[in-house]
Amino acid sequence: MFERRLKIFLGILIGVTAMLLLRAAHLQLANGAYWRKQAAETLQRRTLVEPVRGGIVDFKNNVLAEDVACIDAAVDYRAIDLDPKWLKEQALSRLVARMGLNYRRAEKSAREKLVADETRRVQADIANMWKTLAKAAGKNVEDIEEVKNAIRRRIEMRQRSLCFRKYELAIKKEDARGSLPWYKDWRLGGNSNPDLDNFNIGVSEQAEAHVIVPNISTEVHNQLKKRLEQFPGLVLRPSKHRFYPYGEVACHVIGHLAPVELNDLHNDPNDGNELLEYYPNDKIGRSGAESLCELTLRGQRGRIQRLLGHDEIHSHLEARQGKTVRLTIDINLQMQIENAFKQVVWRDEQGVIVEDHEMHGGAVVIDIPTGEVRALVSYPTYDLNTIDDNYASLATDYVNRPLVNRATQSQLEPGSTVKPIVGIGAVSQGVTTLVDTVECEGYLVIDGRRQLHGRCWTASNFAKSKPLLVAHHQIPSYDPHPTGHLNLVDAIQRSCNVYFENMGNRLGIEGLSYWYSQFGLGSPTGIGLPEAKGKLPRSFKGSALAGRQISWYAGIGQGQIWATPIQMANVAATIGRNGTWVRPRLVTELSDIARPTTQPSTQPATPDRVALPVSMEAITAVQEGMYRVVNTPAGSATILARKDIVICGKTGTAQAQPLRIPMQDASGKIMTDEKGNDMRYTAQMSTRAQPNEKMPWYRGDGENSNPHHAWFIGYAPRENPTVAFAIMLEYGGTGGHDAASISKAVLDACIKHGYLR
């Protein structure tokens, strides 16, 4: 009986063994290559290599942004995560180095106590290291902790990415192919679906050093180098950082880098591609050309694969450097115009300098044939090389608002600079002709009745001092109009409010909105930088008279019409091109350029070049009027007249609301009232009699110190124009005197740098 059972057992054992041998043979012979590949992939560790970011150059190939060599203070991830095994290894290494054979000869219990005590000292040194690095970076320990948390999130995201790839391979056997909508949220830190711990995924970054303080100074480098043995896991390694050779010049155009945020990760167009996707602690273009051209500048990561326990490289994919982006701006032209805002000279009626100080505002220079932007100035500025350190103070400076790009984001009433558009629209639409005239007696007359509103600027400025000289055609007294009846050319030349209020009345709100929109107002230009769209007049549901009044004011650039300097510069360029609108360009090559994310629009895309439906006779008349603005005694910008180049332009003096500034508490936070509204105070205007030393740019104008924004737009030369420009002085006074004076500096810069000859 026993022998029989033994035979059965041996038979079963032999059968099982034979099956195992057959299975092993099948795996090694039939599927050997497949399983060797799977084993090799399991034993591989991938290391990603960050690429060099592409440079940014200007129109003449001057370097505006580049990656340059530096030293980073990095820390081993095991020190960041306080890996117990690694801490013990560090403690043992220290003990052996300090005690030598004495440690090895000690009793086991004594060695364990020594290791435990030394491990605590290692942890204390790591804690001290974080304080030292925070001091070196000019930050607090909480900021360093946030950097560490970003690194942890980066590691977890890498683990989840690899985990998903293995999970995806597994479910393919179940024919569960296709998209997995839960994946993106889970990879970025969500808790749904697969448990990461069940996959036991390790990534090479868990045994590598990660940057804690980038681009440390030579002094900090020398200090930390002396303490490398004291600080476990600290590595001082060569790296690269973004450098902006011109500092604050064109800062709003060039832009800067910043750490990626959760929103960037969720909207990553390269999701799932480990060579291109973003991870926490990566840098991304946050503003300016750095953001606009992110896809071109960023490049592509490289990848190194090694087998576990081996130093040799199993496979290597080179990182691909980002491409160089060439902007259309001329950095030296830009610099000269920016400097003009730093010291604006103010003269009295006799031409004597009475004061000089900085002014806030924007200026744009456009190459008329191509639409390329040669200068895009916003003042005040900030230094791109120190924005990370100073961002908090810059963002809470509600007085100067240095982070605002005034050239594209300041939407203000443009004043009389829109009168050329109104004149062209009125003639093109047939509500007037080139020979029709309007008599200006200083007051608006509609349907034969003098209106309480709508006085011409002549009446406002001269009614008290010269009560008998209030008719516009009589101003200036040394060049009066011969008849007092102004046509379109005369009205542009003398900037007659009454004429254009009449045209606004005839066109109506809808007509004004149509023609303003034809010239690009009310919509972003599409240059690629963050823009304000401005504002167009809209229909009014109140009384008929109130609706008509809106059209009067909008006809002279007041009330329901707002524009930005880039829009108004493009208006001047469009007139200089005889009515062809061209989208302004900031980058010479637009391929591979990532335009910034904007609000979704249901409107069709606007072409880059559009011939407007305008009367050529109207364009010619407006061009003649803009010529007379600068080059005849009755013009409002004779300060710009010169013998070498003929300038055509239009001034604008736009009434503005008093400046009200948010109130801040001691921490810089905006204060609110009991209803939750921001609390503000009205700033004191700076006048010659009572200067405001903290805000000299907030200038009062006129006897009652009424605030005005000063504008000037124009193009040059008169025949075959090459450049168009717009200048806006925020609370800068009058267009004819103040904005036109800084326009002279713009024109001088264009001549110096070869754009006007």
Side-chain angles (χ1 to χ4, degrees):
M1 189 70 175
F2 175 76
E3 291 181 0
R4 183 183 177 188
R5 291 179 179 177
L6 182 60
K7 290 179 180 179
I8 293 173
F9 175 75
L10 289 175
I12 294 173
L13 184 61
I14 291 171
V16 170
T17 302
M19 290 176 62
L20 291 174
L21 290 174
L22 289 172
R23 179 58 178 166
H26 178 265
L27 291 176
Q28 292 184 24
L29 296 178
N31 294 326
Y34 171 79
W35 290 110
R36 282 193 295 273
K37 179 181 178 182
Q38 295 298 312
E41 289 184 355
T42 302
L43 294 174
Q44 285 179 7
R45 285 291 182 264
R46 297 180 178 182
T47 300
L48 299 179
V49 181
E50 295 299 323
V52 175
R53 191 174 179 86
I56 301 176
V57 299
D58 80 340
F59 183 63
K60 296 181 178 178
N61 292 319
N62 295 300
V63 176
L64 308 180
E66 62 180 336
D67 279 6
V68 298
C70 69
I71 299 294
D72 290 343
V75 175
D76 193 301
Y77 181 74
R78 292 166 292 189
I80 297 173
D81 207 39
L82 293 178
D83 179 22
K85 181 180 178 181
W86 182 83
L87 291 173
K88 184 176 180 180
E89 290 174 354
Q90 297 299 307
L92 284 171
S93 177
R94 286 185 174 189
L95 289 171
V96 171
R98 187 168 67 243
M99 299 178 61
L101 293 176
N102 291 333
Y103 169 76
R104 301 183 185 279
R105 292 170 180 170
E107 296 290 336
K108 180 179 179 181
S109 59
R111 289 200 305 270
E112 291 176 351
K113 185 177 185 305
L114 286 170
V115 170
D117 292 342
E118 191 65 30
T119 299
R120 284 191 288 271
R121 280 191 283 271
V122 169
Q123 290 177 300
D125 286 342
I126 292 174
N128 187 33
M129 175 177 65
W130 301 132
K131 297 178 182 178
T132 303
L133 291 176
K135 184 178 179 180
K139 300 180 180 179
N140 53 47
V141 177
E142 288 74 19
D143 295 327
I144 297 297
E145 190 61 37
E146 181 55 37
V147 174
K148 291 160 59 181
N149 288 335
I151 294 171
R152 294 187 183 101
R153 291 193 296 269
R154 180 189 183 96
I155 298 297
E156 182 177 339
M157 186 171 164
R158 284 274 292 135
Q159 288 178 304
R160 287 175 180 256
S161 295
L162 294 176
C163 172
F164 176 73
R165 292 188 183 98
K166 292 193 174 185
Y167 183 82
E168 190 177 37
L169 289 174
I171 63 174
K172 281 182 178 180
K173 294 183 178 180
E174 305 291 333
D175 291 327
R177 303 177 184 272
S179 62
L180 301 175
W182 52 265
Y183 163 61
K184 178 176 287 190
D185 178 67
W186 171 78
R187 186 175 63 89
L188 295 177
N191 296 319
S192 60
N193 288 285
D195 187 353
L196 187 64
D197 294 334
N198 292 338
F199 285 82
N200 192 26
I201 300 295
V203 293
S204 61
E205 287 92 337
Q206 290 175 295
E208 295 174 354
H210 297 262
V211 177
I212 302 296
V213 182
N215 187 30
I216 60 176
S217 66
T218 303
E219 180 183 0
V220 170
H221 173 260
N222 293 336
Q223 292 174 357
L224 293 177
K225 190 174 182 180
K226 297 175 183 178
R227 306 181 70 176
L228 285 175
E229 293 185 2
Q230 178 188 350
F231 293 153
L234 178 62
V235 178
L236 304 177
R237 66 186 186 193
S239 184
K240 291 185 179 294
H241 81 284
R242 202 63 166 167
F243 177 65
Y244 303 95
Y246 290 89
E248 65 182 30
V249 181
C251 57
H252 301 91
V253 178
I254 300 169
H256 70 287
L257 305 180
V260 298
E261 300 172 352
L262 185 60
N263 185 59
D264 300 313
L265 299 176
H266 275 293
N267 296 311
D268 189 352
N270 302 300
D271 178 47
N273 183 342
E274 68 175 357
L275 301 182
L276 290 173
E277 65 185 346
Y278 291 99
Y279 293 105
N281 225 32
D282 279 344
K283 291 290 185 73
I284 189 173
R286 185 60 68 202
S287 65
E290 292 278 25
S291 174
L292 173 65
C293 307
E294 172 69 12
L295 296 183
T296 301
L297 291 167
R298 188 182 177 212
Q300 178 177 291
R301 294 187 185 96
R303 181 172 56 213
I304 298 175
Q305 295 187 184
R306 292 184 174 89
L307 293 177
L308 285 177
H310 296 78
D311 292 332
E312 65 268 16
I313 296 174
H314 183 262
S315 66
H316 184 198
L317 177 64
E318 292 284 349
R320 191 168 66 204
Q321 180 173 338
K323 298 177 182 178
T324 297
V325 168
R326 186 167 176 252
L327 303 184
T328 62
I329 68 165
D330 182 333
I331 194 65
N332 291 302
L333 175 69
Q334 175 97 7
M335 186 188 308
Q336 187 170 341
I337 297 174
E338 282 185 15
N339 288 336
F341 280 86
K342 294 180 181 179
Q343 191 172 20
V344 179
V345 175
W346 304 94
R347 302 175 186 271
D348 60 18
E349 294 180 357
Q350 288 71 41
V352 179
I353 297 176
V354 293
E355 58 180 312
D356 60 89
H357 51 72
E358 71 173 20
M359 287 298 297
H360 292 183
V364 181
V365 177
I366 295 178
D367 180 78
I368 289 181
T370 64
E372 294 182 346
V373 177
R374 295 288 177 252
L376 192 73
V377 173
S378 175
Y379 192 85
T381 56
Y382 55 88
D383 192 336
L384 288 170
N385 293 308
T386 59
I387 187 173
D388 289 341
D389 298 329
N390 301 327
Y391 184 81
S393 60
L394 293 171
T396 55
D397 184 354
Y398 300 110
V399 173
N400 299 294
R401 301 183 303 146
L403 294 179
V404 174
N405 184 349
R406 285 167 165 81
T408 63
Q409 293 176 296
S410 283
Q411 49 183 8
L412 306 170
E413 292 168 311
S416 296
T417 56
V418 299
K419 290 177 179 177
I421 302 176
V422 178
I424 293 171
V427 174
S428 299
Q429 191 167 315
V431 300
T432 190
T433 68
L434 297 181
V435 297
D436 288 345
T437 61
V438 172
E439 183 179 15
C440 177
E441 297 180 348
Y443 294 88
L444 175 62
V445 178
I446 297 291
D447 299 332
R449 294 184 179 182
R450 177 182 288 189
Q451 304 296 317
L452 296 176
H453 304 281
R455 288 195 303 175
C456 200
W457 63 268
T458 53
S460 301
N461 290 346
F462 295 100
K464 291 183 179 180
S465 61
K466 301 177 182 179
L468 299 179
L469 278 177
V470 296
H472 198 150
H473 63 271
Q474 297 170 310
I475 305 299
S477 58
Y478 49 81
D479 189 20
H481 191 275
T483 67
H485 293 266
L486 309 182
N487 61 22
L488 175 57
V489 175
D490 300 326
I492 292 289
Q493 174 193 25
R494 297 168 184 270
S495 196
C496 179
N497 283 357
V498 168
Y499 180 94
F500 290 100
E501 286 166 345
N502 270 274
M503 295 304 109
N505 182 69
R506 297 178 189 182
L507 287 169
I509 293 175
E510 292 184 0
L512 285 170
S513 294
Y514 171 78
W515 288 107
Y516 283 149
S517 65
Q518 286 295 301
F519 280 81
L521 305 190
S523 301
T525 66
I527 193 174
L529 302 181
E531 292 184 82
K533 68 178 183 179
K535 182 180 180 181
L536 295 177
R538 60 185 182 275
S539 57
F540 185 74
K541 296 182 179 179
S543 66
L545 176 60
R548 294 182 74 180
Q549 287 176 345
I550 290 175
S551 67
W552 304 343
Y553 301 142
I556 60 171
Q558 295 285 168
Q560 290 190 12
I561 175 65
W562 298 347
T564 64
I566 182 68
Q567 289 173 334
M568 294 312 300
N570 214 31
V571 167
T574 301
I575 295 172
R577 293 190 205 98
N578 298 320
T580 298
W581 182 90
V582 175
R583 188 184 306 281
R585 291 177 55 192
L586 186 61
V587 182
T588 56
E589 297 294 335
L590 294 179
S591 58
D592 299 326
I593 300 302
R595 294 194 180 275
T597 302
T598 58
Q599 294 291 335
S601 174
T602 58
Q603 300 297 322
T606 305
D608 290 337
R609 181 178 288 265
V610 180
L612 301 184
V614 296
S615 161
M616 285 307 302
E617 292 80 6
I619 289 282
T620 302
V622 164
Q623 290 172 341
E624 174 65 21
M626 293 176 70
Y627 161 76
R628 294 187 186 183
V629 166
V630 178
N631 300 282
T632 64
S636 55
T638 55
I639 189 175
L640 285 177
R642 51 196 308 155
K643 296 179 180 180
D644 53 348
I645 295 176
V646 179
I647 311 298
C648 301
K650 184 68 194 77
T651 58
T653 303
Q655 296 180 14
Q657 295 295 322
L659 181 62
R660 303 190 70 241
I661 300 172
M663 299 176 65
Q664 298 170 263
D665 58 22
S667 66
K669 185 178 179 180
I670 297 178
M671 301 171 64
T672 57
D673 57 22
E674 62 276 4
K675 295 182 179 180
N677 300 318
D678 292 350
M679 299 176 64
R680 296 174 178 267
Y681 69 93
T682 302
Q684 174 193 340
M685 287 187 183
S686 182
T687 63
R688 293 173 186 172
Q690 293 181 314
N692 183 341
E693 295 182 358
K694 293 183 179 179
M695 300 170 59
W697 51 269
Y698 182 41
R699 293 176 51 82
D701 176 67
E703 185 176 329
N704 298 318
S705 295
N706 297 316
H708 292 82
H709 301 308
W711 288 84
F712 186 81
I713 68 170
Y715 61 88
R718 183 185 188 188
E719 302 295 333
N720 299 316
T722 56
V723 297
F725 49 88
I727 292 88
M728 181 275 292
L729 288 183
E730 198 173 278
Y731 296 104
T734 65
H737 184 271
D738 303 324
S741 64
I742 200 171
S743 299
K744 184 178 184 301
V746 173
L747 292 168
D748 289 341
C750 289
I751 293 171
K752 178 180 178 180
H753 296 285
Y755 299 106
L756 280 175
R757 300 184 185 278

